Amino acid sequence: MRAIRFDEFGGPEVLRLVEVEAPLPGPGEVSIDVAYTGINFADLKARSVGYRVGSLPFVPGLELSGRIRAVGEGVEGFEVGQEVTAMTEGGAYADVALAPAVTVFPVPEGVSLRTAATLPTVLPTAHALIHEVGRLTPGESVLVQGAAGGVGTVVGQVAKLAGAGAVYGVVSSESKADYARKHGYDDAFLTGTFDADVRRATGGRGVDLVLDPVGGETLRRGLESLALFGRLVSYGNASGEEAWQAGQAELYPRGLSVSGFSVLGLAAGDPRALREIADRALLLATTGQVELPVTAEFPLEEAAAAHELMEGRTSTGKLLLRVA
């Protein structure tokens, strides 16, 4: 079978199309004939710095859609040929991929395999950020970093459905700001001035909830953008900066709190909790309440071009690899 693999860390050029043996599912696993694979920022970090890479060579890819090829020992509820979407532990940039059965979900009726590939990581992440971790209550305001990306596009819609009083986004360009406003954001601010813009938009009060996948200095500025008793959820460190720490001096005076979330961490630590969140989140897509537009699609062999596009920070929405 075909797979996109890297044998060393580096830029998009280290991605290579190779021929390898199709994997066989072990106990508790299924193998899937891949139709589409979602591109995530974590894939770029795996390729460049080894994020969540156990050993080399490595086939990246954390989410996919396709059809069940075979089921491993002890797996129930799936049958060969069934259309599914899945979160994997790597390996989705390939014709055939393995996934733990607990992170495999039947494709909802009326949802295409192309659309299904956008769902496994983004929707559960967005749902958890707003509900399980962010604990948004109706009328509260939200500030979302990376509002034009995959998670950002969806989380603004989920916040609105949860009754948010105002949803603000932070983006890197005016074109992305326009995109965010078209996908449910009340307003979108540029990275360089967002903290001042938040204070202006809220009359100096700040927002109740900040969602931050960037980390570093951006996280610190987000913390300062919170209202009294506000909450910040960190779910990434896309900046690559040294982790910024918050302590008594930052949190105590205004009763602020900071929490964290990783959909991959939850998948590894408590996959059944992830399934419960995912089941609730997928309903938002099947009922048409939330959509994640696919803004670019590449054939499998052009995975490097997809990485270049995402790394250039000009893309919006979701990027896919077309495998079959």
Side-chain angles (χ1 to χ4, degrees):
M1 70 166 194
R2 300 173 304 156
I4 295 292
R5 190 178 75 186
F6 56 85
D7 299 340
E8 60 181 327
F9 303 124
E13 70 280 357
V14 303
L15 297 174
R16 297 282 189 269
L17 182 68
V18 297
E19 288 287 335
V20 296
E21 291 292 325
L24 298 175
E29 294 181 326
V30 301
S31 61
I32 301 168
D33 287 317
V34 180
Y36 292 92
T37 295
I39 305 289
N40 291 282
F41 190 77
D43 300 338
L44 276 63
K45 289 184 67 177
R47 186 212 73 224
S48 60
V49 297
Y51 174 68
R52 297 183 70 90
V53 175
S55 61
L56 295 175
F58 187 77
V59 176
L62 301 172
E63 62 181 347
L64 60 88
S65 66
R67 296 175 176 84
I68 296 289
R69 178 185 180 93
V71 298
E73 181 183 349
V75 174
E76 298 179 353
F78 294 104
E79 58 185 37
V80 173
Q82 182 178 2
E83 292 189 346
V84 294
T85 184
M87 185 183 302
T88 71
E89 298 173 353
Y93 286 22
D95 287 320
V96 181
L98 296 179
V102 73
T103 58
V104 178
F105 310 93
V107 172
E109 184 176 352
V111 175
S112 69
L113 285 174
R114 186 174 187 266
T115 298
T118 70
L119 305 179
T121 62
V122 169
L123 262 178
T125 295
H127 194 281
L129 292 176
I130 294 299
H131 292 286
E132 288 80 7
V133 186
R135 300 178 184 179
L136 184 75
T137 60
E140 289 189 318
S141 54
V142 186
L143 179 71
V144 181
Q145 296 284 348
V151 173
T153 298
V154 171
V155 81
Q157 299 172 63
V158 176
K160 281 292 189 180
L161 288 172
V167 183
Y168 304 113
V170 181
V171 294
S172 59
S173 68
E174 288 293 351
S175 61
K176 286 188 175 183
D178 290 339
Y179 173 92
R181 295 184 190 106
K182 291 175 181 176
H183 288 85
Y185 284 86
D186 294 294
D187 205 349
F189 312 129
L190 297 183
T191 303
T193 60
F194 79 83
D195 38 2
D197 293 332
V198 165
R199 291 294 174 185
R200 172 185 50 78
T202 61
R205 176 182 180 274
V207 294
D208 299 293
L209 177 63
V210 170
L211 305 178
D212 182 87
V214 181
E217 180 66 11
T218 297
L219 187 149
R220 183 193 65 77
R221 292 168 60 202
L223 198 65
E224 293 179 351
S225 301
L226 285 171
L228 185 69
F229 308 133
R231 307 168 315 275
L232 183 147
V233 182
S234 169
Y235 66 105
N237 188 38
S239 67
E241 297 176 31
E242 185 176 350
W244 194 85
Q245 298 182 354
Q248 295 180 5
E250 294 81 18
L251 304 181
Y252 280 23
R254 293 186 293 131
L256 306 182
S257 59
V258 177
S259 55
F261 179 74
S262 165
V263 71
L264 300 178
L266 187 62
D270 197 337
R272 298 196 181 279
L274 172 64
R275 175 169 286 278
E276 292 176 1
I277 293 173
D279 286 343
R280 292 191 288 269
L282 290 174
L283 283 175
L284 300 178
T286 57
T287 56
Q289 298 178 81
V290 169
E291 65 172 356
L292 174 56
V294 175
T295 52
E297 177 184 311
F298 297 80
L300 178 64
E301 59 269 22
E302 295 181 15
H307 276 221
E308 287 175 2
L309 177 59
M310 180 172 282
E311 215 155 43
R313 303 297 177 93
T314 59
S315 63
T316 57
K318 189 66 176 177
L319 307 185
L320 292 182
L321 293 179
R322 183 178 65 255
V323 182

